[in-house]
């Protein structure tokens, strides 16, 4: 019992000490924040940044960045503010400050790193592939600009790696869209101007193959094109049946030539047999 009571007493003392320390720190920060000495506030902001107290550093630097523009510490102040936002995981704001730095000081001491971290901040805030990929496109543009401006950049390998990752995200977005069209199939509620979901799937997948010719998802897009063309033929009106079965058959042969060991090989061969029956019957009648 005595040991337990002693431990509880020690815990209470530690909690009390912690609370007093927080109050003391808060009072100190408020005093600095209200200070009219910019140099004092700036040095304190740098200290907060070094100690990982990014939120406090941000509050002080946001108040100083305009005042220090054009001064000896102007560059460092703006760059540190951007880095503090990045470290605080406020990536959207960080990207804006990094961009502002590069626009304000294109030849500044931190220009190259600001350019890289603008892309990195956007990269960190990109959404999952199913969502709108506008932020991903912005990140790609930022990294591409970084590589164009600094072809021998220190972090060029990292930038290239990020570009590949971001491109893969765009590919996944297109694949998700193409699959969605295919899964909707003959559901006409999603079709406009006389089109069909299978046609939309074909266009989406073919555009992706054209835009990302070396993607590891190339076969997945090719499968969707092949399947969609066959489904279009199966559901076609008589006047377009022959044309679509021939197109589907050609697509299957093209798929087998490009992916001879695909797990969808038997599917392609099955489609070809069905297509030949229809194209053969049509040829005999002609």
């Amino acid at each position: 019992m005595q040991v337990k009571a002693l431990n509880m007493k020690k815990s209470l003392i530690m909690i009390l000490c912690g609370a007093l320390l927080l109050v003391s720190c808060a009072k100190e920060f408020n005093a600095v924040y209200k200070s009219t000495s910019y140099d004092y506030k700036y040095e304190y902001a740098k200290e907060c940044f070094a100690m990982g107290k990014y939120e406090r550093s941000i509050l002080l630097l946001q108040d100083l960045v305009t005042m220090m523009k054009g001064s000896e510490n102007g560059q460092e102040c703006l760059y540190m503010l951007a880095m503090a936002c990045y470290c605080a995981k406020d990536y959207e704001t960080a990207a804006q400050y990094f961009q502002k730095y590069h626009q304000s000081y294109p030849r500044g001491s931190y220009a190259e790193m600001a350019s890289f971290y603008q892309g990195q901040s956007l990269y960190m805030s990109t959404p999952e592939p199913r969502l709108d990929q506008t932020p991903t496109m912005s990140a790609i543009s930022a990294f591409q600009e970084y590589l164009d401006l600094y072809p021998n950049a220190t972090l060029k390998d990292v930038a290239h790696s990020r570009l590949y990752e971001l491109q893969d995200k765009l590919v996944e977005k297109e694949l998700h869209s193409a699959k969605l069209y295919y899964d909707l199939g003959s559901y006409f509620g999603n079709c406009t101007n006389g089109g069909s979901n299978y046609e939309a799937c074909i266009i989406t997948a073919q555009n992706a193959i054209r835009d990302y010719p070396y993607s590891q998802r190339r076969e997945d897009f090719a499968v969707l094109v092949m399947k969609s063309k066959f489904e279009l033929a199966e559901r076609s009106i008589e006047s377009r049946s022959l044309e679509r079965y021939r197109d589907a058959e050609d697509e299957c042969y093209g798929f087998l030539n490009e992916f001879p060991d695909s797990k969808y090989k038997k599917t392609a061969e099955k489609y070809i047999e069905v297509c030949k029956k229809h194209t053969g019957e049509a040829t005999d009648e002609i």
Side-chain angles (χ1 to χ4, degrees):
M1 287 294 290
Q2 290 181 344
V3 174
K4 186 175 181 181
L6 183 61
N7 288 336
M8 287 181 63
K9 186 177 180 180
K10 287 182 178 179
S11 298
L12 288 171
I13 291 173
M14 291 177 65
I15 292 171
L16 181 60
C17 289
L20 290 172
L21 182 61
L22 287 173
V23 171
S24 176
C25 289
K27 285 183 178 180
E28 181 185 17
F29 176 78
N30 287 333
V32 174
Y33 187 74
K34 293 176 181 178
S35 173
T36 56
S37 172
Y38 296 141
D39 289 337
Y40 177 50
K41 291 173 76 171
Y42 185 57
E43 290 304 316
Y44 192 86
K46 290 171 67 174
E47 184 180 332
C48 288
F49 181 86
M51 294 175 65
K53 298 177 180 179
Y54 302 117
E55 298 295 343
R56 291 189 174 189
S57 183
I58 290 167
L59 285 173
L60 294 171
L61 293 170
Q62 284 177 330
D63 197 39
L64 292 167
V65 69
T66 302
M67 303 295 182
M68 289 193 163
K69 186 176 181 180
S71 70
E72 184 179 348
N73 293 322
Q75 285 191 50
E76 185 182 57
C77 182
L78 181 53
Y79 183 74
M80 195 187 315
L81 174 57
M83 284 302 302
C85 290
Y86 179 84
C87 292
K89 299 184 179 181
D90 184 358
Y91 299 120
E92 184 177 348
T93 304
Q96 293 172 1
Y97 280 130
F98 283 124
Q99 182 180 36
K100 184 178 179 180
Y101 177 93
H102 206 274
Q103 290 172 343
S104 302
Y105 308 102
R107 299 179 184 277
S109 304
Y110 306 100
E112 181 182 325
M113 295 306 295
S115 180
F116 172 82
Y117 272 102
Q118 180 186 347
Q120 179 67 12
S121 298
L122 293 168
Y123 164 81
M124 294 298 291
S125 60
T126 53
E128 64 162 309
R130 292 172 180 267
L131 302 178
D132 176 55
Q133 292 301 304
T134 300
T136 302
M137 295 298 297
S138 298
I140 288 174
S141 296
F143 275 125
Q144 192 59 62
E145 183 178 1
Y146 167 72
L147 291 169
D148 291 341
L149 289 172
Y150 309 101
N152 298 315
T154 307
L155 297 173
K156 66 178 181 179
D157 291 340
V158 178
H160 280 299
S161 177
R162 294 287 187 264
L163 282 174
Y164 294 141
E165 290 181 52
L166 292 166
Q167 188 179 81
D168 286 344
K169 187 169 286 191
L170 294 181
V171 171
E172 290 298 322
K173 171 66 174 177
E174 292 304 301
L175 184 59
H176 174 70
S177 298
K179 283 181 176 178
L180 181 60
Y181 283 126
Y182 181 80
D183 291 340
L184 286 169
S186 56
Y187 171 64
F188 290 103
N190 190 53
C191 304
T192 57
N193 301 321
S196 79
N197 292 305
Y198 290 122
E199 288 173 316
C201 175
I202 292 168
I203 292 171
T204 302
Q206 288 180 332
N207 285 342
I209 291 173
R210 181 197 64 210
D211 295 339
Y212 311 105
Y214 305 110
S215 169
Q216 294 181 351
R217 291 293 203 170
R218 183 181 177 89
E219 182 180 346
D220 296 321
F221 285 115
V223 169
L224 287 171
V225 173
M226 178 180 68
K227 287 184 173 182
S228 293
K229 286 191 174 184
F230 180 77
E231 294 297 338
L232 271 180
E234 289 281 86
R235 290 163 172 75
S236 180
I237 58 176
E238 187 175 354
S239 61
R240 301 199 63 182
S241 177
L242 176 60
E243 172 194 350
R244 284 182 168 172
Y245 274 116
R246 283 175 174 169
D247 188 25
E249 184 178 348
D250 289 342
E251 192 67 39
C252 290
Y253 278 122
F255 178 82
L256 290 174
N257 285 333
E258 185 171 1
F259 308 102
D261 300 319
S262 172
K263 65 179 182 179
Y264 292 98
K265 179 179 179 180
K266 290 184 178 179
T267 300
E269 292 172 344
K270 177 184 174 182
Y271 285 169
I272 290 172
E273 289 180 12
V274 176
C275 289
K276 281 186 175 297
K277 291 178 181 177
H278 290 276
T279 55
E281 290 172 2
T283 303
D284 291 339
E285 290 176 5
I286 292 172

